[in-house]
Each structure stands twice: as structure tokens, then as C-alpha cells.
Amino acid sequence: MMKLFFVTTLLALMVTFTYAQESIFDTTEIVSPEIHEDGSVTFRLYAPEANTVQVSGDFLASQDGRPMATMQKDDKGLWSYTTDALSPELYSYNLMVDGVKTIDPSHAHTIRDVANVFNYFIIGGDDYTELYKVQQVPHGAVSYVWYTSPVVEKDRRMAVYTPPGYNNDDKDYPVFYLLHGMGGDEEAWLGLGRTAQIMDNLIAQGKAEPMIVVMTNGNVAQEAAAGMGSEGMVQPTFEHPNTMDGLFEESFADVMTYVESHYRVKDEKSNHAIAGLSMGGFHAANISRHYADRFDYIGLFSPALHIDLSGFPEAVAYQDADAKLRQQMQDGYELYWIAIGEKDFDVLLQGVDDYTAKMDGMGMGRSYESKKTEGGHTWVNWRRYLVDFTQRLFR
Amino acid sequence: MMKLFFVTTLLALMVTFTYAQESIFDTTEIVSPEIHEDGSVTFRLYAPEANTVQVSGDFLASQDGRPMATMQKDDKGLWSYTTDALSPELYSYNLMVDGVKTIDPSHAHTIRDVANVFNYFIIGGDDYTELYKVQQVPHGAVSYVWYTSPVVEKDRRMAVYTPPGYNNDDKDYPVFYLLHGMGGDEEAWLGLGRTAQIMDNLIAQGKAEPMIVVMTNGNVAQEAAAGMGSEGMVQPTFEHPNTMDGLFEESFADVMTYVESHYRVKDEKSNHAIAGLSMGGFHAANISRHYADRFDYIGLFSPALHIDLSGFPEAVAYQDADAKLRQQMQDGYELYWIAIGEKDFDVLLQGVDDYTAKMDGMGMGRSYESKKTEGGHTWVNWRRYLVDFTQRLFR
């Protein structure tokens, strides 16, 4: 009797979410994506009224200029498609219903990158991808905090990872500033970048030192990621004023002031690292050079080093850039690490070549590391670069 | 020349996000939703190949048992629909393309509730809805932290809001535990609940005391919200074992131990509040009764008070429930606040009536407040209840 009553209750409560619950019942029987033992993946969508259903994802061959595959409909209106065996990676996908990009209603796990919302899944099994999963290890905390930036006259938002232990002891920790690329924001490295999972797992394995990771928003015209600032729910965009003209670098002093006064941060240069991807690599190069003798670890991931700084004569952070770079090399650092995919854009590959040639020409010897990896200008590489770079820090 | 080079760079970097960028360019010209001055809203979707496009949302009249409207196609394949003027509220919606529930590709702002991912927008203009927006006021921090729960033998995740100022002073603060409903998790009150925005705005207006808000996960079988725990990317569900059998209430001691040892919390009863919605209202009633003389403020929002506790003879937290309730009333409290919508489910309305009748029968006088509001078992009410209840705390 009690059991019956309890079940009735359960149903009553479920019915309550009238709007949400219908959608769940529509798709509750459908498993999508289904990851098979051999690494192949089946996608399914119930859509009896659709004419065409496709799956679009970075793991598929190109079809009409876009990586996608056509799904097949059975006699009940269930569409499905099974991939070949996929190698380990974090993959993202959308479904396309009669040409419209959608998310998979059977898979509530989505990530936003710039203005695109897609589903994702992880094929594990290699050293990198197991780090992208949430494992049963001690977890750090992820906080979204606001700091005041007098340079840009705004309160601004950033994300901070504090390692397991930070909240249980009173020790000081090293700090690693991690910068996003164009169109990104303070959520990017936690989304497709999987930073919290990577840090938790590397620290648990003893492969990375416990450290604070600070993820800023490089678009100084924004308070925060779109929707999280007082600008309201504007559509995220690649185009932000003042992202590559020196202002973000100048305002970085405000970031460091906040971090050093609000977190238990070791203050020696040997405990400070900075890295960024693409535009963030450009920012990291500029910041590490402008704030003299402050960073012992610099990581430039597929960096946009080809920007001509002479185009911004007003930018304090860009003035005397070459002299500052020479000084940075003279002061020394533990690691100046550049990585870029061999299939990256020519303009970026050339920018890296020119930059390293300039460093070589400064006669300081080859004090930096520069390597070309497989792949292009993608999160596949940036996650791996984060894994590789982080293990080199503070030890 | 520099400008041209810069633009080329910009384009090069944009092309980089090969997969994401196409989607953006598909829809970059389309504004959806467009909120007009009179409060009407236009939805748009470019879908020349679709047969039917509908918008589904809680602001529409029912059509085939579901609140939706059919969009109209123009000769270019752009579908659109304009609502009547909507009253102020936070609204959620999906688009339906040939019967498949999707999100709006022109609007990157989504919320997940249980397994449903939908878009949302806010029509402001009244006292409640202006609180749901991010305003230019000092912002608190939102952290996702992990605590150890010996009672359920797991590390578990919760969300903690710390008010503006918390990170800049060394004062102690009152604490408010805020519990989700069935199918929800530690992200629910921050998603549709808009807790961070509501707290920021009420505190800025001097209408709420600065306080710490702790948002737990009431599904003790889970480590964390689906996808954020080591169970992997399972589909979120309403059905979790052990959510309404006393185990969560028993493990709440672990939550309080963590909070009190990791945050600067005032330790008097007069600085402790607890509230929850639906299942969380049931939890809040049980917890505030079981942990004797600990909470001065209890809020039950559309609570599931009809559950027959005698069905769980093993549950420590449910034993001697009536005696504990009498004791709780004898010990006294500042506020015992119950609210439920007049259109809520009969079983819940009856449960509240029976519960208040029981309290009346205990002869303690009418020491609680119970009110019926408009509306049903919806987030519209829970956001308002949060706004109303929070202003009564700690003053």
C-alpha cells in the first residue's frame, strides 16, 4: 500500500514538469549516442516526419564540404547511423533534421563554443582521453568570480580552478593563467578544454603539481561570457572590440592583483605560468614579455604571433616589444614552449616561424622549445598541449 | 595596410573553427528571439527544407496537448512566428522541426533541466523579473565544490554562492541551504532558479542580507549532476534510488560539516536557513525537524509533504517524526514558511493541508505561515518563492 502510494507520488511529481517531462518521455527509450566496445558509435533519432536526418561531427568524412553522414530511417520512423571504429578522443556532434542543425534530444550533454551548442561524447582508452573524463579521484573546485578592472572600468568575470586540498589546508600554491582564443570566453577552457578534469586527473596521478588555474575573459569589451554579464542575452560572436590591441594585456595587471590578493598564491616567478591558445597565445606572449621577469613558464598553443604590433602605437603593452622580448630572454625562464599543428593556417605557421627566427636572432641561444604536432587549429590539439605543458610546470 | 592585415588575420582565425564557424555563418543574420517593445516576441528559423516548424514554450496556448504554435514560412525558407504581448517572466522554449524538438540555432542561451535542454529569454519590467537578469551590481561568486560524505561513502558535488564582499573581508556570514526537486541536481537552482542573479540583485537593493547559499544534490546515488561525476555521461533522469527514503536527510550532516569547516559561517541557529522545492521541500521539512534546534528559517516551496514516512522504518531521519516536529515547534523558529500554487497537484495540495492540520493539532498555536499563490508546480512560482522567502531571512 505504501509502495503504491509512493509510486503514485513519483508519477505525480514527474507529471509536474509538464513541459520538460513530455520531451523526456518522447525519447526515453532511445539511446544515442551508443558507444560500442570496438569504438564505433550509433546515433539514433525518432523523427517519423522528417525527410532527411544527418549527423554532423568532427569524426566524419566530408560531405558537401561538411563532415557529416546521412542517417537511415526504419519503418517506425527511427533514424540511425553507425560510425566506423573511432580512435580515442572527445568528439562533438550535431544532428541535422531537414537541414536544420539540432542537438540530440536523447543526450543532454552539451557544450557551447562561441555561438554553437553541440553534443559531445568521449571515446576513452588512451593516455590523453582518460584524462578528459571525470574519474574517481579527488576533485578541485571551479569558481566563477568577479574582479574589478580599473583599466577597463568594469567588473569582469573569470573562472578559477583550485586544486584538491586547497580548501583543506593553508598552504600557498603556484598559479597558472590560461587564456582562450578568439570568440571564446572564461568558460571555453572548462568546456571543450576539459581543464578541470585534466587537472584533477594529472594531479591525482602525480603528473602535475597542485596549482591554481585562472581562466580569464580576453574580450575586454565584455563583462563576462554572453548571457552572464549585464549586456544581457546577446548572441556570442567572434568580433569583440579591443581584443587584440593591447588593452587586454594592459588590464591583465588587474587580474593578477585580484588573484594575488584573493588566493593563496606563491609569489615567486618560479611559481607563475601563463599559456593561451591562438589569440590567447598572442596574449600570453605579450603579457609574459610586458610584465617583466614575472613568469617562469610560458606556453603558446597554436599562437597568433603574426599580428603586427606596430599597428598599435598607443598600446602600452606593445611598446618596445622586441626590447622587452630580449630582456625576457636575458632574465631567463624555466620553459618557453611553443606548439602548433602542421596543418594549421599558413599565416599562423609563418607567424611562429618568424617569431622563433627573431628569438634566434637575438643571440640568446635556443632557450625556448618549439614543436610542430599533427593536426590543425583545433581543440584536439589544445587539450593535448594543455596536458603536455601542465606536466612541465613548477617542478 | 595594417588594418587590412588585421582583418585578414581575423578571418583566418575565424575560419579555424571550421566546424563551429559554419553554423554561425548559417544563422548570423537571423535574430531569434526578437523581443519587441510591447513584449511580443518573434521567433525565426531558416529551414527551407522543413515541412513544419513549430515553437513550443510555456507562454503559448496548448495545441494537441502541448503549448505550441505553428511558424509560417516565407518564400526564402525563413520560418517565423510572433507571440502576443507577453507579461514579464523568464520563459523557456524549443523549436520543433518536422516534429523533432530542437534548440534555436540563433540563440546560444540554453538551460538544462533534468534531461531537457531548451532556450530561454527574459521579459523584464516587473519587480520579480528584473531580479532574474544580470544587472550592473556587485556579484557574488558561484563555486562547484566537492565534499566527502561518509554516510553515503562518496565524494559528492555541490554549488555554493558566496555574496559580494565574502572574498574581500573576514566576516562570518549566515548560511541558507537550498534544495532542488525530483530529477534536479546541484545545478537546478542556478539554472532555471536564477539564484545567483536573484541574490546579487536583492543584496544590492538592500532587500536581502549577504548570505552564503548552498545548493546540494539530493540524489545520493549520484556523485554529481549527470556528466559531472565518474558515472560518465549518462542521461539525466527523474528516477534515482534513495532520494526520498531518509538517506539524503541523514547524509545532510556531511554537507553541514563541510560547509561549517570550509566557509566562514555564523554558527547560531538564527543564522541558518533551509528551503527546498517539491521533493526538496519534503527534504527541508525532514532535515529541519531531524537536526534539532538548528534552523531558524524553514521554507517549503510546493512541498511533497504527503509521503508516508511510516513506510521507511529503517530511516533514522524519519523516526519519531511527529515528536520531532512537536519539539521543533516548542524550540521555536523565526519563520516556518509554506507556499504552494492553487493549481498544483491535488496530492500535494492535500499533503500541505494535512501537514498544517497536524501542526495546528499539536496545540502550539499557528506559529507557521502557509499561503496559496497563483499558478502550479512550476519554476515561475519557485523563483518567486525564493525572492519572497530570502527577503525574510536573518533580519
Side-chain angles (χ1 to χ4, degrees):
Chain A
M1 182 59 197
M2 188 287 302
K3 255 205 173 139
L4 182 64
F5 189 63
F6 186 66
V7 168
T8 311
T9 299
L10 204 76
L11 286 175
L13 287 173
M14 291 172 80
V15 172
T16 71
F17 298 81
T18 327
Y19 179 60
Q21 141 274 352
E22 284 184 311
S23 321
I24 290 165
F25 289 159
D26 285 348
T27 57
T28 192
E29 302 296 316
I30 296 169
V31 176
S32 178
E34 181 181 358
I35 302 176
H36 305 287
E37 288 223 346
D38 67 351
S40 64
V41 179
T42 300
F43 300 90
R44 295 185 180 91
L45 181 73
Y46 180 67
E49 295 166 42
N51 298 318
T52 315
V53 180
Q54 296 152 302
V55 53
S56 161
D58 45 5
F59 45 87
L60 293 165
S62 194
Q63 181 177 311
D64 300 330
R66 192 165 188 162
M68 58 167 54
T70 302
M71 295 170 74
Q72 299 302 315
K73 186 181 180 180
D74 74 7
D75 55 4
K76 287 176 185 145
L78 182 68
W79 299 74
S80 63
Y81 174 81
T82 299
T83 68
D84 296 335
L86 301 180
S87 51
E89 192 45 73
L90 183 153
Y91 294 104
S92 57
Y93 72 102
N94 285 106
L95 302 182
M96 310 283 293
V97 177
D98 288 339
V100 177
K101 179 173 68 72
T102 77
I103 53 173
D104 185 343
S106 300
H107 189 58
H109 303 283
T110 62
I111 293 181
R112 178 186 61 82
D113 193 47
V114 194
N116 198 42
V117 177
F118 41 74
N119 294 105
Y120 71 103
F121 61 93
I122 299 171
I123 306 271
D126 73 359
D127 287 348
Y128 284 113
T129 53
E130 288 300 314
L131 298 171
Y132 306 160
K133 296 181 179 174
V134 180
Q135 307 279 5
Q136 273 195 347
V137 298
H139 301 291
V142 171
S143 300
Y144 291 96
V145 302
W146 290 76
Y147 67 101
T148 297
S149 178
V151 169
V152 297
E153 297 178 332
K154 278 191 184 73
D155 284 357
R156 305 197 67 229
R157 187 171 178 257
M158 62 184 165
V160 181
Y161 169 90
T162 48
Y166 182 89
N167 287 327
N168 298 317
D169 61 37
D170 55 6
K171 287 193 290 193
D172 291 341
Y173 284 82
V175 61
F176 173 25
Y177 297 91
L178 184 58
L179 314 182
H180 64 79
M182 187 171 283
D185 54 52
E186 72 273 22
E187 299 176 357
W189 271 110
L190 289 165
L192 281 178
R194 301 297 282 181
T195 300
Q197 291 76 32
I198 289 170
M199 295 307 306
D200 281 354
N201 291 321
L202 284 178
I203 292 169
Q205 295 173 16
K207 291 182 178 166
E209 295 297 317
M211 66 183 81
I212 297 166
V213 184
V214 176
M215 289 154 278
T216 50
N217 182 324
N219 313 308
V220 292
Q222 277 189 316
E223 294 174 10
M228 302 310 295
S230 69
E231 303 89 351
M233 296 203 285
V234 293
Q235 188 70 344
T237 171
F238 281 101
E239 296 173 62
H240 293 282
N242 304 120
T243 51
M244 294 174 87
D245 67 358
L247 190 54
F248 175 65
E249 291 90 335
E250 194 181 334
S251 76
F252 206 76
D254 301 332
V255 172
M256 295 189 290
T257 297
Y258 181 88
V259 169
E260 291 170 14
S261 59
H262 289 79
Y263 290 88
R264 301 192 313 273
V265 176
K266 290 185 176 175
D267 58 8
E268 311 84 11
K269 177 187 181 185
S270 60
N271 287 297
H272 293 183
I274 188 166
L277 76 88
S278 192
M279 177 182 84
F282 170 75
H283 285 152
N286 299 335
I287 289 165
S288 69
R289 189 174 61 212
H290 178 62
Y291 297 94
D293 213 22
R294 187 142 186 163
F295 295 95
D296 238 348
Y297 300 88
I298 301 98
L300 313 183
F301 306 166
S302 317
L305 295 175
H306 58 294
I307 307 295
D308 181 2
L309 300 181
S310 70
F312 309 93
E314 309 288 307
V316 175
Y318 296 168
Q319 281 164 16
D320 307 317
D322 285 355
K324 287 176 186 164
L325 178 57
R326 186 177 292 108
Q327 187 63 48
Q328 183 178 18
M329 294 174 72
Q330 280 174 0
D331 291 338
Y333 32 69
E334 285 294 322
L335 180 64
Y336 200 112
W337 192 91
I338 307 173
I340 188 166
E342 60 192 6
K343 291 184 182 155
D344 206 319
F345 299 93
D346 288 342
V347 63
L348 294 195
L349 286 161
Q350 186 64 50
V352 166
D353 285 347
D354 292 347
Y355 193 81
T356 53
K358 180 161 70 178
M359 291 175 88
D360 292 342
M362 288 181 174
M364 302 294 300
R366 198 177 157 87
S367 63
Y368 61 89
E369 290 181 30
S370 177
K371 68 170 179 173
K372 292 220 168 56
T373 69
E374 290 182 7
H377 206 73
T378 67
W379 276 104
V380 172
N381 272 346
W382 302 326
R383 283 187 293 266
R384 292 181 183 181
Y385 296 165
L386 178 65
V387 170
D388 295 345
F389 182 68
T390 305
Q391 298 183 58
R392 306 279 298 273
L393 302 180
F394 314 128
R395 23 178 64 182
Chain B
M1 182 60 196
M2 188 287 302
K3 253 199 173 146
L4 182 63
F5 188 63
F6 186 65
V7 169
T8 312
T9 300
L10 205 75
L11 286 175
L13 287 173
M14 289 172 80
V15 172
T16 70
F17 299 80
T18 326
Y19 178 60
Q21 139 274 348
E22 284 183 311
S23 322
I24 289 165
F25 289 160
D26 285 349
T27 57
T28 191
E29 302 297 315
I30 296 169
V31 176
S32 179
E34 182 181 357
I35 301 176
H36 305 287
E37 289 226 343
D38 67 351
S40 64
V41 180
T42 299
F43 300 91
R44 296 186 179 91
L45 181 73
Y46 181 68
E49 295 166 42
N51 299 319
T52 316
V53 180
Q54 296 152 301
V55 53
S56 161
D58 45 6
F59 45 87
L60 292 165
S62 193
Q63 181 178 312
D64 299 330
R66 194 164 187 163
M68 57 167 56
T70 303
M71 295 170 74
Q72 299 302 316
K73 187 182 182 181
D74 74 7
D75 55 4
K76 288 176 184 141
L78 182 69
W79 298 75
S80 63
Y81 175 81
T82 300
T83 68
D84 296 335
L86 301 180
S87 52
E89 192 44 72
L90 183 154
Y91 294 104
S92 56
Y93 72 102
N94 285 106
L95 301 183
M96 309 282 294
V97 177
D98 288 340
V100 177
K101 179 173 68 73
T102 77
I103 53 172
D104 185 343
S106 299
H107 190 57
H109 303 284
T110 63
I111 293 180
R112 178 186 62 81
D113 193 49
V114 195
N116 197 41
V117 177
F118 41 74
N119 294 106
Y120 71 103
F121 61 93
I122 298 171
I123 306 270
D126 73 359
D127 288 348
Y128 284 113
T129 53
E130 289 300 313
L131 298 171
Y132 307 160
K133 295 181 179 174
V134 180
Q135 307 280 5
Q136 273 194 347
V137 297
H139 301 291
V142 171
S143 301
Y144 292 96
V145 302
W146 291 76
Y147 67 102
T148 297
S149 178
V151 169
V152 297
E153 298 178 331
K154 279 192 183 72
D155 283 358
R156 305 196 67 228
R157 187 171 178 257
M158 61 184 165
V160 181
Y161 169 90
T162 49
Y166 181 88
N167 288 326
N168 298 317
D169 61 39
D170 55 6
K171 287 192 290 193
D172 292 342
Y173 285 82
V175 61
F176 173 26
Y177 296 90
L178 185 57
L179 314 182
H180 63 78
M182 189 171 283
D185 54 51
E186 71 274 22
E187 299 176 356
W189 271 110
L190 289 165
L192 280 178
R194 301 297 281 179
T195 300
Q197 291 75 31
I198 289 170
M199 295 307 305
D200 282 354
N201 291 322
L202 285 179
I203 292 169
Q205 294 174 17
K207 291 181 178 166
E209 296 297 316
M211 66 184 82
I212 298 166
V213 185
V214 176
M215 290 155 278
T216 49
N217 182 323
N219 312 309
V220 292
Q222 277 190 315
E223 293 175 9
M228 302 310 294
S230 69
E231 305 89 351
M233 296 204 285
V234 293
Q235 188 70 344
T237 171
F238 280 100
E239 296 173 60
H240 292 282
N242 304 120
T243 52
M244 294 174 86
D245 67 0
L247 191 54
F248 175 65
E249 291 90 334
E250 193 180 334
S251 76
F252 207 77
D254 301 332
V255 172
M256 294 188 291
T257 298
Y258 181 89
V259 169
E260 291 170 13
S261 58
H262 289 79
Y263 290 89
R264 301 192 313 273
V265 176
K266 291 184 176 175
D267 58 8
E268 311 84 12
K269 175 187 181 186
S270 60
N271 286 297
H272 293 184
I274 188 166
L277 76 88
S278 193
M279 177 182 84
F282 170 76
H283 285 152
N286 299 335
I287 290 166
S288 69
R289 189 175 59 213
H290 179 63
Y291 298 94
D293 212 23
R294 189 144 183 162
F295 296 95
D296 238 348
Y297 301 88
I298 300 99
L300 313 184
F301 306 166
S302 317
L305 295 175
H306 58 295
I307 307 293
D308 182 1
L309 299 182
S310 69
F312 309 93
E314 310 287 306
V316 176
Y318 295 168
Q319 281 164 16
D320 306 316
D322 286 354
K324 287 175 185 165
L325 177 58
R326 185 177 291 108
Q327 186 63 48
Q328 183 179 19
M329 294 173 72
Q330 279 173 2
D331 292 338
Y333 32 68
E334 285 294 321
L335 181 63
Y336 200 112
W337 192 90
I338 307 173
I340 188 166
E342 60 192 5
K343 292 185 183 154
D344 207 318
F345 298 93
D346 288 341
V347 63
L348 294 194
L349 286 162
Q350 187 64 51
V352 167
D353 285 347
D354 292 347
Y355 192 81
T356 53
K358 179 161 69 179
M359 290 176 89
D360 293 342
M362 287 181 176
M364 302 293 301
R366 198 179 158 87
S367 62
Y368 61 89
E369 291 181 30
S370 177
K371 68 169 178 174
K372 291 218 169 59
T373 69
E374 290 182 8
H377 206 73
T378 67
W379 276 103
V380 172
N381 271 347
W382 302 326
R383 283 187 294 266
R384 292 182 183 180
Y385 296 165
L386 178 66
V387 170
D388 295 345
F389 182 67
T390 305
Q391 298 183 59
R392 307 279 297 273
L393 302 180
F394 315 127
R395 24 178 62 182

Coordinates of all heavy atoms in Angstrom, one line a residue, chain A residues 10 16 88 157 179 315:
Chain A
L10 N 5.4 9.5 -7.1 CA 6.5 9.7 -8.1 C 6.0 10.2 -9.4 O 6.4 11.1 -10.0 CB 7.2 8.3 -8.2 CG 8.7 8.4 -8.7 CD1 9.6 8.8 -7.5 CD2 9.1 7.0 -9.2
T16 N 4.5 16.8 -13.0 CA 4.6 18.2 -12.7 C 5.4 19.0 -13.7 O 5.1 20.2 -14.0 CB 5.3 18.4 -11.4 OG1 6.6 18.1 -11.5 CG2 4.7 17.6 -10.3
P88 N 40.4 7.0 -29.8 CA 40.1 7.8 -28.6 C 40.1 9.3 -28.8 O 41.1 9.8 -29.4 CB 41.2 7.3 -27.6 CG 41.6 6.0 -28.1 CD 41.5 6.1 -29.6
R157 N 34.3 38.9 -15.1 CA 34.2 37.6 -14.6 C 35.3 36.7 -15.1 O 35.7 36.8 -16.2 CB 32.8 37.0 -15.1 CG 32.4 35.7 -14.5 CD 30.9 35.5 -15.0 NE 30.3 34.2 -14.6 CZ 30.2 33.2 -15.4 NH1 30.6 33.2 -16.7 NH2 29.5 32.1 -15.0
L179 N 44.6 31.2 -21.1 CA 43.8 32.1 -21.9 C 43.2 31.5 -23.2 O 43.8 30.7 -23.8 CB 44.7 33.3 -22.4 CG 45.7 33.9 -21.3 CD1 46.5 35.0 -21.9 CD2 44.9 34.3 -20.1
A315 N 49.4 51.4 -27.8 CA 49.3 50.3 -26.8 C 50.5 50.2 -25.9 O 51.6 49.9 -26.4 CB 49.1 49.0 -27.6

